Amino acid sequence: MSVHDHGFARVTGAIPVVRIADPKANAEATVESMRQGAAEGSLLVVFPEMGLCGYSIDDLVQQDAILDGCRDALKSIVDASAGLMPLVVVGLPLVVGDGLYNCAAVIRDGAVLGVVPKSYLANYREFYDKRYYSAARDAPQDTVRLFGSDVPFGADLLFDAEDVPGFCLHVEICEDGWVPIPPSVWASLAGATVLANLSGSPVTVGKESYRKLLSTSHSARCIAAHLYVAAGFGESTTDLAWDGDALITENGTLLTRSKQFEMGAQSISADIDLDRLRQERMRMTSVRDQVGDHAEDLKRLRRIGFSFGVQPGTDDVEVLRRAIARFPFVPSGTSDLDERCREVGNIQVQGLAARLRATGLEKVVIGVSGGLDSTLALLVAVDTFDRLDLPRTNILAYTMPGFATGGATLRRAHTLMDSLGVSGTELDIRPSCEQMLADLDHPYSRGEKVFDVTFENVQAGERTSHLFRLANHHGAIVLGTGDLSELALGWCTYGVGDQMSHYNVNGSVPKTLVRHLIRWMITSGEFSDETSAVLAEILADVISPELVPPGEDGAIQSTEDTVGPYELHDFFLYYLTRFGYRPSKVAYLARQAWGDLDRTPWDTEPLDDRNVYDAATIDKWLTVFCQRFMANQFKRTAMPNGPKIGSGGSLSPRGDWRSPSDASARAWLQELRGE
């Protein structure tokens, strides 16, 4: 359960209360925040621009007393860092040669590893950086003498951790991040995964949203983590105001942000996912192409190696400081919920409409079971036909009761078809199934209660066979209903079974998203009260193929009792296929999301509103997932066409997932067991 053992790095943005022109007091506040970050397990603590004297010091920055005081303050911070784990980045003015530079000193365990000068000096509107400072490009030397040692000096420094794979830091200062091509762009191409920006940015109306846009988009473009830490309370308000804004973003996602306009010291921290960044960069071959285009320039960046001293399995940091979505395929916010759900529906509708136009056909055949998947596919068909100005009666819906179809399920199917105004028909498949079982000389045909896989698949096969022949007969296409989760687990009958159709609008929609979309449709007000009521019944029922008669206790066949909870399997599917994580890391993330850990304030959902799974249960079902996923690739290799829905991907062999059908799950299972 160690954060560091699973590819995460805790980073902190610290904003002490600054005292203008008082380096000693600022050093004391910096040391206090630094020690707090170290105690919380952070590997990096970043402070604001010019934090040792204040960014708004103006002409006082040229006073020798201030400059000497800043060097002394830096020395006290360096000494205090001895024995502490994190890299510490502090801002101060430094004289190098004949020039004065706005700098960031990178400190680790009692030493200065490097000093980064500001590259681009803001000199417009309220900014007068060129009045005081020289730019990094003007420096006549690439080292600076500090406390008896020559320290690397320049904007070309990369701080590369030797004992935390994937941690490579680049530092830039304020305006450097606002120019069209920030220095950190080149650093990221050279391998920097953590980009820190020390800022003295004052606040004006609208700047808060622009900073967020800047940081999130920069982290996405660079496929990196980005720490932005701006000056806060204590800066001079002679003509400006300061809000102490700090953000930590990762590959386009905001992980955490400080409270604006706090009048006391504050800090923010989050666990960045170095594995995610590494996986994304490895997959983005276009980025590698650009690295090759600039290879000679990138080689000139200087790498400074160091070690954090992290010992695997020795820390007791269990709870991640980042939100782990329990339903990674499902829209998480409320502000864009309608937009996202409508977008999913639009993709499905657009795909089906295009396929109908390409075939020249104006009818679809669909099997309606009264369950989740066929319900969603039917609703998509209705929306598609409405938009194409085709009559809903051209949707030929068949409910096909078998040996275990329940009365409630059958009623729901009829209610759904009738209330939507499609051509609904009941077609009893039991006679044809009995003939098939007799032809097979199956024990059931001799009166024995043998409900094996053959018994189940005969029913699934008969349903699909009827649908295809009906489509031939009526000049239609068969609309598939099976979802992404079933394809992942192989919970579908291969060939002439529910695995096959002419087109499948649900093929990249996981079960958890199917549930969510139907729940959203109920509240959208787009359907009649009768339709909405039956949709609510469908949501509340147990997920079941209804292929085996109820037991003596009356319990119906439950899919999740057999293969495991879909909410866990969808979680496993997302992280294994989208990011290629090791199974042990997936289990760790599942424990964070679904365990009984107290994750406040990162967890916004109360424990009472969800299931809780312990580590043993998570490992059990993850093992099942790995085994079933690998064993059933042959079904996905032959899956029908269907639109890709989300960034979580699909399992189409023509799209996101190409895998041999005879691959082994052994490597996954060995890694999960620690073998």
Side-chain angles (χ1 to χ4, degrees), residues 153-174:
F153 178 78
D156 58 343
L157 304 182
L158 302 178
F159 301 89
D160 203 350
E162 296 169 355
D163 56 348
V164 177
F167 187 103
C168 184
L169 172 69
H170 178 266
V171 177
E172 61 190 12
I173 302 173
C174 202

Side-chain angles (χ1 to χ4, degrees), residues 296-368:
E296 292 306 313
D297 292 329
L298 299 178
K299 289 176 183 176
R300 289 195 281 269
L301 273 68
R302 290 178 284 171
R303 293 181 180 273
I304 300 172
F306 70 97
S307 293
F308 283 112
V310 172
Q311 297 296 321
T314 58
D315 63 73
D316 58 357
V317 181
E318 288 195 353
V319 181
L320 274 176
R321 293 191 177 183
R322 65 183 286 134
I324 303 296
R326 300 183 190 98
F327 303 100
F329 290 103
V330 174
S332 58
T334 55
S335 59
D336 62 349
L337 183 61
D338 282 358
E339 180 182 347
R340 290 294 181 89
C341 290
R342 291 186 191 280
E343 189 174 21
V344 171
N346 285 334
I347 292 171
Q348 292 178 289
V349 168
Q350 186 84 351
L352 179 56
R355 180 51 55 94
L356 286 170
R357 186 178 69 173
T359 61
L361 300 176
E362 296 185 347
K363 294 180 180 180
V364 297
V365 166
I366 180 173
V368 178

Side-chain angles (χ1 to χ4, degrees), residues 362-482:
E362 296 185 347
K363 294 180 180 180
V364 297
V365 166
I366 180 173
V368 178
S369 68
L372 289 168
D373 296 339
S374 63
T375 295
L376 179 61
L378 179 60
L379 295 174
V380 170
V382 166
D383 194 0
T384 303
F385 277 62
D386 287 350
R387 296 198 206 183
L388 293 176
D389 292 326
L390 294 173
R392 291 187 181 185
T393 51
N394 279 17
I395 301 172
L396 310 180
Y398 294 87
T399 184
M400 296 177 280
F403 299 120
T405 302
T409 305
L410 189 60
R411 175 186 56 79
R412 288 198 298 264
H414 278 290
T415 302
L416 189 63
M417 294 186 295
D418 294 344
S419 66
L420 290 172
V422 303
S423 297
T425 304
E426 181 176 324
L427 197 163
D428 191 346
I429 63 167
R430 285 173 292 187
S432 56
C433 288
E434 287 169 348
Q435 180 62 53
M436 175 68 76
L437 290 167
D439 292 343
L440 296 173
D441 192 25
H442 189 275
Y444 182 82
S445 67
R446 300 191 298 272
E448 300 179 31
K449 293 184 178 181
V450 176
F451 307 126
D452 56 8
V453 173
T454 301
F455 177 83
E456 295 188 38
N457 285 348
V458 161
Q459 296 172 77
E462 282 298 317
R463 286 190 175 115
T464 305
S465 179
H466 276 81
L467 291 174
F468 271 97
R469 303 297 74 79
L470 286 164
N472 293 154
H473 182 60
H474 292 289
I477 63 171
V478 176
L479 187 61
T481 61

Side-chain angles (χ1 to χ4, degrees), residues 30 44-48 87-91 104-107 169 171 196 198:
T30 298
L44 173 67
V45 183
V46 178
F47 292 88
L87 278 178
V88 181
V89 187
V90 298
V106 181
I107 303 162
L169 172 69
V171 177
L198 289 69

